[in-house]
């Protein structure tokens, strides 16, 4: 079965208490644990112990965790990653808080990835018996779940090859120099039926462009933007629509400068999804469908 | 990889020209072909040749098609279905219009299912190079794609077992006599990350309760209901929300009495989704979350 | 200038504490005062002391209050109402809690109406200096304001004539036996630019059909219906759309059986608005645009 | 009764045929007439002959028309305007196409205003007998009606005084140097129950900042922005929310550089609406609630 989903994003922040205000009160994630200088968060509609891990130390990505279906997947993907030439190691039970045995690899781009099968299960906020569609008492934006992340790499084509060949991701969309070209300048990749679980664009190795939380629809984005204004959260751009993924979006920053996104809409994908190409000269429209041009900050600011 | 998705619903109608007005002009599907007394339709965001096939002869389900990933899947699932005790046959290329070689089985409930890997690809209406998020010129509701179907069976537990054990579907929600019971009275089943690709409730064998088309959000449902009023389409219930799947819904009928649904929202599922239980005494709330009770027609009218 | 708006609805309920849960926690109005067995409520976006007054004694309308622009309006309308043949009396300051001097009349239908110019001003929840678009901490539906009421009368034409001739309301829509008829079977009347501030349908004298609170849009109605389900509020019908007023709606009941509505959308009116006619045979479509037929309860249940 | 509403905006454009594509096909207004080098447009939900008049000659405002209730209003306001010191003249029947006798004044800011009581009535697109809530066949954005305009003046306080004292507008919001100040730097003014029919900000005399069309809700703004992208319409800013008026907005430009807006939401006003103050240091939040800062173009570009 392989990779189920993006399980968690582990990021650095300047200050855990201001980060907790941002992720806990503004985004409305639930703080599920604070252990050894790390704070763990989940969305109300997630059942696993955490989808966001924060520790102090500046900004940027410590690692990303992908959940797999079985122990056999772990063994198999460990071998496949080693065969691809990556440095791979076993992460023993208890080494990663609330997570079982895992496999960790340094990607060709320098990003650290963990694959794991087991994680403590806390359940969603609405439970599994005759549940209501949403829980009372949410704070701020009340984001239900983590959706995807976007990372930068000096060689996006190589990293795309890793995700498709080794982890069996599919490509929903790619940026190419011109229509029909085989050269991949950026890619959006899925294992689920969403437009993307991870995306890769050209940029410095080992850097994080943003990680995103799902919202229900365009109206929730308006409410989210209002909450950001009330809480003096720094908005990068939006609410607007992406050409790529067709999704609706707001980009904004946490207090340490990590870019977040709230994301809604987008099409459904399948393994036979006809891959979409964006030509470089239309990339502005691909990123920001309404304004049809990139803003400076979008391409230059990473963490 | 196995089953990718519900590929098509093949149904009977009284009159193809009035059905074409309903599916083509009111629902806004695209008529892609008319061959040998059958009309083929697809949503604007689907790439395969058809997701709905209609032929004259009353009402009800002729068969349902599920698309699989590979020829190996076809062979494997053919064997698994035979091992489950089903009558299975190969459908040769050209026997099913626009579809490649397929495997057909009579399910324990008497429903006919085809699995196929190959189908003619027509592409979506927005194309794959720098696409707009939606096409101009849609008619009526402009439904982008087929989403799921719900069938009735005298033994829903047996049919659920078939879908989970043989076709490796997961159960998102089930109706049980009481919380914790192992007895399955109805089930919602997924292969994708949607709340359901197919659902099974108790009722007569070989019957169709409804098939559903995805819409973007709750606002699109209002517009759809307005279009139904303008076109004098018979609305069964809605717009409202389901407790089960959390989705927003309108049930309505085609001119031959086949129940259709337009469906939006709902959570995302994964193989590790914690299965939700609805107890029989809360089933009204599960089906219609706002009114909290079943209407007579919902449970008794099938085609 | 004359009548500014529907200022308040004063209704009877069985039990003030359960009514306070309904109006305060489910509808999310703010309890502003409890004096002499009466509870006073306002929406968060209203500035006057109250828009709803409740007292124990069953169900139904005690009186309705309309706010006027000036003391001259009070004098003028007092004379006009007397000239129309109504019994009119002055309500002295302090007689009506938080309200200044008023004029009270018994309408031809037996309903009691107060006109007043002065009322204690509490301000909205967002204030008047650099306000946010909405306040934090709302409960339940969080209705911002009272919108309109609908009353029944044995002679709706006479009552319509009173509102248009004496209080200078305009008619936005009316029900007529057939197109072009002068006979008014029901009317929707406005002083503001909304589709209606009050409406009149045929039925027993002195009865209340419903009073309605404004919500922002169709998405807020979904959320409101969800809150009603969570709080076991009895929904009469909806969410759906009216043909008349074009508004989106949910009808529901307070614990005493008074019908409430949450209402969104609808066109803008002006004094030169071309009056819309609904013929009796299309009245079902006029009331419930999607189902195109009246339900029994809608026409028979009043309080 | 006085002024009913902003009736029409008469503007200059570079080229009538490209302007007709913008106002007719992108905004979706209906071209109702082309006479003597002028094109007349109305929204589908407006009944009067036109709400937009265009003629060639560059860009900017030729004049604005406000509709009044009666011939007595015309006489009365003619006198009042003259008493205020304005140059006023009678516009005779047939001088202004499709409009009856009018009164024209040069405002203190140099803008030209016409007041009129009579205009040819064409009716809305849904008619007045058992109407549907919206018509089929709309083009592009399908804007139902004109909403307001914003003009610049070297002395906004003086122009505000004219609108409030002479035309009896009320002030919904104003910009002040600091809370409680009597100095008016900008004002939003209403005769209807909307947040504004006209607004005035500091800037060059006789200039147009923008004129705006109403849309139903935030979701319609997304669709409008999509249409603008498809038609390569130049977006200034949005979709976003205003702090002032609380409305949702997109600013964009017609091909001649006149700024347009589509506007949804906002509160309801009444003559007793508590006037809102925005202090200069919070003006960015007042104009663009999400970004909390003015963009350069917003304040400097007028036509």
């Amino acid at each position: 079965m392989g990779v189920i989903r993006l399980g968690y994003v582990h990021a650095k922040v300047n200050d855990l208490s201001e980060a907790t205000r941002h992720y806990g009160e503004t985004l409305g994630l639930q703080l599920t644990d604070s252990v050894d200088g790390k704070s763990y968060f989940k969305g109300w509609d997630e059942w696993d112990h955490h989808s966001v891990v924060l520790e102090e130390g500046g900004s940027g990505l410590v690692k990303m965790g992908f959940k797999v279906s079985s122990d056999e997947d772990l063994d198999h993907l460990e071998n496949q990653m080693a065969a691809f030439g990556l440095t791979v190691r076993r992460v023993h039970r208890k080494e990663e808080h609330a997570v079982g045995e895992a496999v960790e690899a340094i990607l060709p781009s320098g990003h650290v990835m963990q694959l794991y099968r087991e994680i403590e299960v806390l359940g969603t906020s609405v439970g599994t018996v005759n549940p209501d569609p949403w829980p009372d008492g949410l704070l701020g934006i009340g984001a239900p779940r983590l959706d995807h992340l976007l990372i930068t790499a000096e060689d996006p084509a190589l990293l795309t090859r890793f995700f498709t060949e080794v982890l069996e991701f599919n490509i929903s969309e790619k940026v190419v120099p011109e229509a029909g070209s085989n050269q991949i300048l950026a890619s959006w990749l899925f294992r689920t039926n969403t437009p993307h679980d991870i995306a890769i664009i050209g940029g410095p190795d080992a850097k994080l462009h943003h990680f995103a939380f799902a919202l229900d629809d365009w109206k929730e984005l308006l409410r989210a933007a209002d909450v950001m204004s009330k809480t003096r959260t720094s908005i990068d751009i939006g609410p607007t629509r992406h050409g790529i993924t067709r999704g609706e979006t707001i980009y904004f920053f946490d207090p340490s400068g990590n870019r977040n996104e709230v994301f809604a809409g987008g099409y459904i994908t399948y393994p036979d999804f006809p891959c979409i190409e964006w030509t470089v000269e239309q990339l502005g429209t691909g990123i920001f469908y309404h304004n049809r041009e990139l803003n400076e900050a979008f391409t230059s600011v990473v963490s």
Side-chain angles (χ1 to χ4, degrees), chain A residues 168-185:
Chain A
E168 299 185 44
F169 279 68
N170 296 286
I171 306 178
S172 56
E173 311 209 20
K174 60 184 175 184
V175 177
V176 289
E178 54 200 34
S181 165
N182 285 324
Q183 195 184 340
I184 291 181
L185 304 176

mmCIF file with all atom_site columns, all heavy atoms in Angstrom, chain A residues 168-185:
data_model
loop_
_atom_site.group_PDB
_atom_site.id
_atom_site.type_symbol
_atom_site.label_atom_id
_atom_site.label_alt_id
_atom_site.label_comp_id
_atom_site.label_asym_id
_atom_site.label_entity_id
_atom_site.label_seq_id
_atom_site.pdbx_PDB_ins_code
_atom_site.Cartn_x
_atom_site.Cartn_y
_atom_site.Cartn_z
_atom_site.occupancy
_atom_site.B_iso_or_equiv
_atom_site.pdbx_formal_charge
_atom_site.auth_seq_id
_atom_site.auth_comp_id
_atom_site.auth_asym_id
_atom_site.auth_atom_id
_atom_site.pdbx_PDB_model_num
ATOM 1   N N   . GLU A 1 168 ? 6.360  6.228  -4.910  1.00 0.00 ? 168 GLU A N   1
ATOM 2   C CA  . GLU A 1 168 ? 5.198  5.979  -5.776  1.00 0.00 ? 168 GLU A CA  1
ATOM 3   C C   . GLU A 1 168 ? 4.145  7.072  -5.698  1.00 0.00 ? 168 GLU A C   1
ATOM 4   O O   . GLU A 1 168 ? 2.942  6.792  -5.703  1.00 0.00 ? 168 GLU A O   1
ATOM 5   C CB  . GLU A 1 168 ? 4.601  4.592  -5.490  1.00 0.00 ? 168 GLU A CB  1
ATOM 6   C CG  . GLU A 1 168 ? 5.605  3.489  -5.773  1.00 0.00 ? 168 GLU A CG  1
ATOM 7   C CD  . GLU A 1 168 ? 5.015  2.085  -5.618  1.00 0.00 ? 168 GLU A CD  1
ATOM 8   O OE1 . GLU A 1 168 ? 3.891  1.862  -6.092  1.00 0.00 ? 168 GLU A OE1 1
ATOM 9   O OE2 . GLU A 1 168 ? 5.708  1.232  -5.016  1.00 0.00 ? 168 GLU A OE2 1
ATOM 10  N N   . PHE A 1 169 ? 4.590  8.301  -5.590  1.00 0.00 ? 169 PHE A N   1
ATOM 11  C CA  . PHE A 1 169 ? 3.680  9.430  -5.745  1.00 0.00 ? 169 PHE A CA  1
ATOM 12  C C   . PHE A 1 169 ? 3.362  9.609  -7.230  1.00 0.00 ? 169 PHE A C   1
ATOM 13  O O   . PHE A 1 169 ? 4.135  9.212  -8.102  1.00 0.00 ? 169 PHE A O   1
ATOM 14  C CB  . PHE A 1 169 ? 4.322  10.726 -5.227  1.00 0.00 ? 169 PHE A CB  1
ATOM 15  C CG  . PHE A 1 169 ? 4.244  10.883 -3.733  1.00 0.00 ? 169 PHE A CG  1
ATOM 16  C CD1 . PHE A 1 169 ? 4.965  10.046 -2.890  1.00 0.00 ? 169 PHE A CD1 1
ATOM 17  C CD2 . PHE A 1 169 ? 3.460  11.873 -3.154  1.00 0.00 ? 169 PHE A CD2 1
ATOM 18  C CE1 . PHE A 1 169 ? 4.916  10.177 -1.507  1.00 0.00 ? 169 PHE A CE1 1
ATOM 19  C CE2 . PHE A 1 169 ? 3.397  12.019 -1.767  1.00 0.00 ? 169 PHE A CE2 1
ATOM 20  C CZ  . PHE A 1 169 ? 4.113  11.180 -0.950  1.00 0.00 ? 169 PHE A CZ  1
ATOM 21  N N   . ASN A 1 170 ? 2.220  10.228 -7.508  1.00 0.00 ? 170 ASN A N   1
ATOM 22  C CA  . ASN A 1 170 ? 1.860  10.627 -8.864  1.00 0.00 ? 170 ASN A CA  1
ATOM 23  C C   . ASN A 1 170 ? 2.005  12.142 -8.988  1.00 0.00 ? 170 ASN A C   1
ATOM 24  O O   . ASN A 1 170 ? 1.908  12.874 -7.999  1.00 0.00 ? 170 ASN A O   1
ATOM 25  C CB  . ASN A 1 170 ? 0.409  10.247 -9.159  1.00 0.00 ? 170 ASN A CB  1
ATOM 26  C CG  . ASN A 1 170 ? 0.209  8.750  -9.137  1.00 0.00 ? 170 ASN A CG  1
ATOM 27  O OD1 . ASN A 1 170 ? 0.615  8.039  -10.033 1.00 0.00 ? 170 ASN A OD1 1
ATOM 28  N ND2 . ASN A 1 170 ? -0.408 8.261  -8.058  1.00 0.00 ? 170 ASN A ND2 1
ATOM 29  N N   . ILE A 1 171 ? 2.196  12.594 -10.211 1.00 0.00 ? 171 ILE A N   1
ATOM 30  C CA  . ILE A 1 171 ? 2.323  14.035 -10.464 1.00 0.00 ? 171 ILE A CA  1
ATOM 31  C C   . ILE A 1 171 ? 0.980  14.576 -10.949 1.00 0.00 ? 171 ILE A C   1
ATOM 32  O O   . ILE A 1 171 ? 0.448  14.110 -11.951 1.00 0.00 ? 171 ILE A O   1
ATOM 33  C CB  . ILE A 1 171 ? 3.395  14.321 -11.539 1.00 0.00 ? 171 ILE A CB  1
ATOM 34  C CG1 . ILE A 1 171 ? 4.724  13.663 -11.145 1.00 0.00 ? 171 ILE A CG1 1
ATOM 35  C CG2 . ILE A 1 171 ? 3.558  15.822 -11.745 1.00 0.00 ? 171 ILE A CG2 1
ATOM 36  C CD1 . ILE A 1 171 ? 5.821  13.857 -12.199 1.00 0.00 ? 171 ILE A CD1 1
ATOM 37  N N   . SER A 1 172 ? 0.423  15.525 -10.228 1.00 0.00 ? 172 SER A N   1
ATOM 38  C CA  . SER A 1 172 ? -0.809 16.165 -10.691 1.00 0.00 ? 172 SER A CA  1
ATOM 39  C C   . SER A 1 172 ? -0.486 17.309 -11.646 1.00 0.00 ? 172 SER A C   1
ATOM 40  O O   . SER A 1 172 ? -1.131 17.470 -12.674 1.00 0.00 ? 172 SER A O   1
ATOM 41  C CB  . SER A 1 172 ? -1.630 16.673 -9.507  1.00 0.00 ? 172 SER A CB  1
ATOM 42  O OG  . SER A 1 172 ? -0.863 17.555 -8.714  1.00 0.00 ? 172 SER A OG  1
ATOM 43  N N   . GLU A 1 173 ? 0.521  18.120 -11.292 1.00 0.00 ? 173 GLU A N   1
ATOM 44  C CA  . GLU A 1 173 ? 0.851  19.262 -12.137 1.00 0.00 ? 173 GLU A CA  1
ATOM 45  C C   . GLU A 1 173 ? 2.365  19.463 -12.108 1.00 0.00 ? 173 GLU A C   1
ATOM 46  O O   . GLU A 1 173 ? 3.043  19.111 -11.146 1.00 0.00 ? 173 GLU A O   1
ATOM 47  C CB  . GLU A 1 173 ? 0.148  20.540 -11.635 1.00 0.00 ? 173 GLU A CB  1
ATOM 48  C CG  . GLU A 1 173 ? -1.347 20.310 -11.368 1.00 0.00 ? 173 GLU A CG  1
ATOM 49  C CD  . GLU A 1 173 ? -2.231 21.533 -11.553 1.00 0.00 ? 173 GLU A CD  1
ATOM 50  O OE1 . GLU A 1 173 ? -1.825 22.491 -12.241 1.00 0.00 ? 173 GLU A OE1 1
ATOM 51  O OE2 . GLU A 1 173 ? -3.355 21.514 -11.020 1.00 0.00 ? 173 GLU A OE2 1
ATOM 52  N N   . LYS A 1 174 ? 2.866  20.035 -13.182 1.00 0.00 ? 174 LYS A N   1
ATOM 53  C CA  . LYS A 1 174 ? 4.299  20.328 -13.230 1.00 0.00 ? 174 LYS A CA  1
ATOM 54  C C   . LYS A 1 174 ? 4.516  21.611 -14.019 1.00 0.00 ? 174 LYS A C   1
ATOM 55  O O   . LYS A 1 174 ? 3.711  21.965 -14.881 1.00 0.00 ? 174 LYS A O   1
ATOM 56  C CB  . LYS A 1 174 ? 5.070  19.172 -13.850 1.00 0.00 ? 174 LYS A CB  1
ATOM 57  C CG  . LYS A 1 174 ? 4.668  18.826 -15.270 1.00 0.00 ? 174 LYS A CG  1
ATOM 58  C CD  . LYS A 1 174 ? 5.423  17.592 -15.772 1.00 0.00 ? 174 LYS A CD  1
ATOM 59  C CE  . LYS A 1 174 ? 4.915  17.205 -17.153 1.00 0.00 ? 174 LYS A CE  1
ATOM 60  N NZ  . LYS A 1 174 ? 5.542  15.967 -17.658 1.00 0.00 ? 174 LYS A NZ  1
ATOM 61  N N   . VAL A 1 175 ? 5.601  22.276 -13.686 1.00 0.00 ? 175 VAL A N   1
ATOM 62  C CA  . VAL A 1 175 ? 5.996  23.458 -14.450 1.00 0.00 ? 175 VAL A CA  1
ATOM 63  C C   . VAL A 1 175 ? 7.080  23.022 -15.433 1.00 0.00 ? 175 VAL A C   1
ATOM 64  O O   . VAL A 1 175 ? 8.033  22.332 -15.047 1.00 0.00 ? 175 VAL A O   1
ATOM 65  C CB  . VAL A 1 175 ? 6.522  24.572 -13.529 1.00 0.00 ? 175 VAL A CB  1
ATOM 66  C CG1 . VAL A 1 175 ? 6.991  25.772 -14.345 1.00 0.00 ? 175 VAL A CG1 1
ATOM 67  C CG2 . VAL A 1 175 ? 5.444  24.978 -12.537 1.00 0.00 ? 175 VAL A CG2 1
ATOM 68  N N   . VAL A 1 176 ? 6.888  23.418 -16.670 1.00 0.00 ? 176 VAL A N   1
ATOM 69  C CA  . VAL A 1 176 ? 7.827  23.028 -17.732 1.00 0.00 ? 176 VAL A CA  1
ATOM 70  C C   . VAL A 1 176 ? 8.239  24.268 -18.528 1.00 0.00 ? 176 VAL A C   1
ATOM 71  O O   . VAL A 1 176 ? 7.513  25.258 -18.550 1.00 0.00 ? 176 VAL A O   1
ATOM 72  C CB  . VAL A 1 176 ? 7.178  22.001 -18.682 1.00 0.00 ? 176 VAL A CB  1
ATOM 73  C CG1 . VAL A 1 176 ? 7.016  20.648 -17.964 1.00 0.00 ? 176 VAL A CG1 1
ATOM 74  C CG2 . VAL A 1 176 ? 5.830  22.490 -19.192 1.00 0.00 ? 176 VAL A CG2 1
ATOM 75  N N   . PRO A 1 177 ? 9.412  24.208 -19.164 1.00 0.00 ? 177 PRO A N   1
ATOM 76  C CA  . PRO A 1 177 ? 9.855  25.381 -19.935 1.00 0.00 ? 177 PRO A CA  1
ATOM 77  C C   . PRO A 1 177 ? 8.861  25.724 -21.035 1.00 0.00 ? 177 PRO A C   1
ATOM 78  O O   . PRO A 1 177 ? 8.567  26.884 -21.284 1.00 0.00 ? 177 PRO A O   1
ATOM 79  C CB  . PRO A 1 177 ? 11.197 24.941 -20.519 1.00 0.00 ? 177 PRO A CB  1
ATOM 80  C CG  . PRO A 1 177 ? 11.663 23.809 -19.655 1.00 0.00 ? 177 PRO A CG  1
ATOM 81  C CD  . PRO A 1 177 ? 10.423 23.128 -19.170 1.00 0.00 ? 177 PRO A CD  1
ATOM 82  N N   . GLU A 1 178 ? 8.336  24.681 -21.679 1.00 0.00 ? 178 GLU A N   1
ATOM 83  C CA  . GLU A 1 178 ? 7.283  24.903 -22.674 1.00 0.00 ? 178 GLU A CA  1
ATOM 84  C C   . GLU A 1 178 ? 6.450  23.633 -22.763 1.00 0.00 ? 178 GLU A C   1
ATOM 85  O O   . GLU A 1 178 ? 6.910  22.556 -22.351 1.00 0.00 ? 178 GLU A O   1
ATOM 86  C CB  . GLU A 1 178 ? 7.885  25.252 -24.038 1.00 0.00 ? 178 GLU A CB  1
ATOM 87  C CG  . GLU A 1 178 ? 8.897  24.241 -24.520 1.00 0.00 ? 178 GLU A CG  1
ATOM 88  C CD  . GLU A 1 178 ? 9.825  24.809 -25.594 1.00 0.00 ? 178 GLU A CD  1
ATOM 89  O OE1 . GLU A 1 178 ? 10.140 26.018 -25.523 1.00 0.00 ? 178 GLU A OE1 1
ATOM 90  O OE2 . GLU A 1 178 ? 10.215 24.033 -26.479 1.00 0.00 ? 178 GLU A OE2 1
ATOM 91  N N   . ALA A 1 179 ? 5.237  23.763 -23.303 1.00 0.00 ? 179 ALA A N   1
ATOM 92  C CA  . ALA A 1 179 ? 4.323  22.616 -23.326 1.00 0.00 ? 179 ALA A CA  1
ATOM 93  C C   . ALA A 1 179 ? 4.967  21.423 -24.001 1.00 0.00 ? 179 ALA A C   1
ATOM 94  O O   . ALA A 1 179 ? 5.559  21.542 -25.078 1.00 0.00 ? 179 ALA A O   1
ATOM 95  C CB  . ALA A 1 179 ? 3.024  23.005 -24.037 1.00 0.00 ? 179 ALA A CB  1
ATOM 96  N N   . GLY A 1 180 ? 4.882  20.269 -23.359 1.00 0.00 ? 180 GLY A N   1
ATOM 97  C CA  . GLY A 1 180 ? 5.405  19.042 -23.928 1.00 0.00 ? 180 GLY A CA  1
ATOM 98  C C   . GLY A 1 180 ? 6.841  18.741 -23.537 1.00 0.00 ? 180 GLY A C   1
ATOM 99  O O   . GLY A 1 180 ? 7.353  17.652 -23.806 1.00 0.00 ? 180 GLY A O   1
ATOM 100 N N   . SER A 1 181 ? 7.496  19.684 -22.901 1.00 0.00 ? 181 SER A N   1
ATOM 101 C CA  . SER A 1 181 ? 8.885  19.469 -22.484 1.00 0.00 ? 181 SER A CA  1
ATOM 102 C C   . SER A 1 181 ? 8.969  18.400 -21.399 1.00 0.00 ? 181 SER A C   1
ATOM 103 O O   . SER A 1 181 ? 8.060  18.235 -20.593 1.00 0.00 ? 181 SER A O   1
ATOM 104 C CB  . SER A 1 181 ? 9.468  20.785 -21.945 1.00 0.00 ? 181 SER A CB  1
ATOM 105 O OG  . SER A 1 181 ? 10.653 20.528 -21.225 1.00 0.00 ? 181 SER A OG  1
ATOM 106 N N   . ASN A 1 182 ? 10.082 17.668 -21.390 1.00 0.00 ? 182 ASN A N   1
ATOM 107 C CA  . ASN A 1 182 ? 10.285 16.668 -20.342 1.00 0.00 ? 182 ASN A CA  1
ATOM 108 C C   . ASN A 1 182 ? 10.955 17.240 -19.103 1.00 0.00 ? 182 ASN A C   1
ATOM 109 O O   . ASN A 1 182 ? 11.119 16.553 -18.105 1.00 0.00 ? 182 ASN A O   1
ATOM 110 C CB  . ASN A 1 182 ? 11.161 15.523 -20.869 1.00 0.00 ? 182 ASN A CB  1
ATOM 111 C CG  . ASN A 1 182 ? 10.364 14.631 -21.795 1.00 0.00 ? 182 ASN A CG  1
ATOM 112 O OD1 . ASN A 1 182 ? 9.177  14.407 -21.578 1.00 0.00 ? 182 ASN A OD1 1
ATOM 113 N ND2 . ASN A 1 182 ? 11.014 14.153 -22.852 1.00 0.00 ? 182 ASN A ND2 1
ATOM 114 N N   . GLN A 1 183 ? 11.367 18.496 -19.185 1.00 0.00 ? 183 GLN A N   1
ATOM 115 C CA  . GLN A 1 183 ? 12.112 19.085 -18.075 1.00 0.00 ? 183 GLN A CA  1
ATOM 116 C C   . GLN A 1 183 ? 11.161 19.573 -16.986 1.00 0.00 ? 183 GLN A C   1
ATOM 117 O O   . GLN A 1 183 ? 10.253 20.375 -17.252 1.00 0.00 ? 183 GLN A O   1
ATOM 118 C CB  . GLN A 1 183 ? 12.946 20.259 -18.621 1.00 0.00 ? 183 GLN A CB  1
ATOM 119 C CG  . GLN A 1 183 ? 14.024 20.704 -17.668 1.00 0.00 ? 183 GLN A CG  1
ATOM 120 C CD  . GLN A 1 183 ? 14.754 21.923 -18.206 1.00 0.00 ? 183 GLN A CD  1
ATOM 121 O OE1 . GLN A 1 183 ? 14.714 22.209 -19.412 1.00 0.00 ? 183 GLN A OE1 1
ATOM 122 N NE2 . GLN A 1 183 ? 15.403 22.661 -17.322 1.00 0.00 ? 183 GLN A NE2 1
ATOM 123 N N   . ILE A 1 184 ? 11.351 19.087 -15.788 1.00 0.00 ? 184 ILE A N   1
ATOM 124 C CA  . ILE A 1 184 ? 10.458 19.441 -14.679 1.00 0.00 ? 184 ILE A CA  1
ATOM 125 C C   . ILE A 1 184 ? 11.096 20.524 -13.822 1.00 0.00 ? 184 ILE A C   1
ATOM 126 O O   . ILE A 1 184 ? 12.140 20.312 -13.211 1.00 0.00 ? 184 ILE A O   1
ATOM 127 C CB  . ILE A 1 184 ? 10.145 18.195 -13.830 1.00 0.00 ? 184 ILE A CB  1
ATOM 128 C CG1 . ILE A 1 184 ? 9.270  17.236 -14.625 1.00 0.00 ? 184 ILE A CG1 1
ATOM 129 C CG2 . ILE A 1 184 ? 9.468  18.589 -12.520 1.00 0.00 ? 184 ILE A CG2 1
ATOM 130 C CD1 . ILE A 1 184 ? 8.882  15.983 -13.863 1.00 0.00 ? 184 ILE A CD1 1
ATOM 131 N N   . LEU A 1 185 ? 10.456 21.689 -13.774 1.00 0.00 ? 185 LEU A N   1
ATOM 132 C CA  . LEU A 1 185 ? 10.969 22.806 -12.984 1.00 0.00 ? 185 LEU A CA  1
ATOM 133 C C   . LEU A 1 185 ? 10.300 22.870 -11.607 1.00 0.00 ? 185 LEU A C   1
ATOM 134 O O   . LEU A 1 185 ? 10.829 23.476 -10.681 1.00 0.00 ? 185 LEU A O   1
ATOM 135 C CB  . LEU A 1 185 ? 10.743 24.119 -13.735 1.00 0.00 ? 185 LEU A CB  1
ATOM 136 C CG  . LEU A 1 185 ? 11.350 24.157 -15.148 1.00 0.00 ? 185 LEU A CG  1
ATOM 137 C CD1 . LEU A 1 185 ? 10.987 25.464 -15.834 1.00 0.00 ? 185 LEU A CD1 1
ATOM 138 C CD2 . LEU A 1 185 ? 12.863 23.984 -15.083 1.00 0.00 ? 185 LEU A CD2 1
#
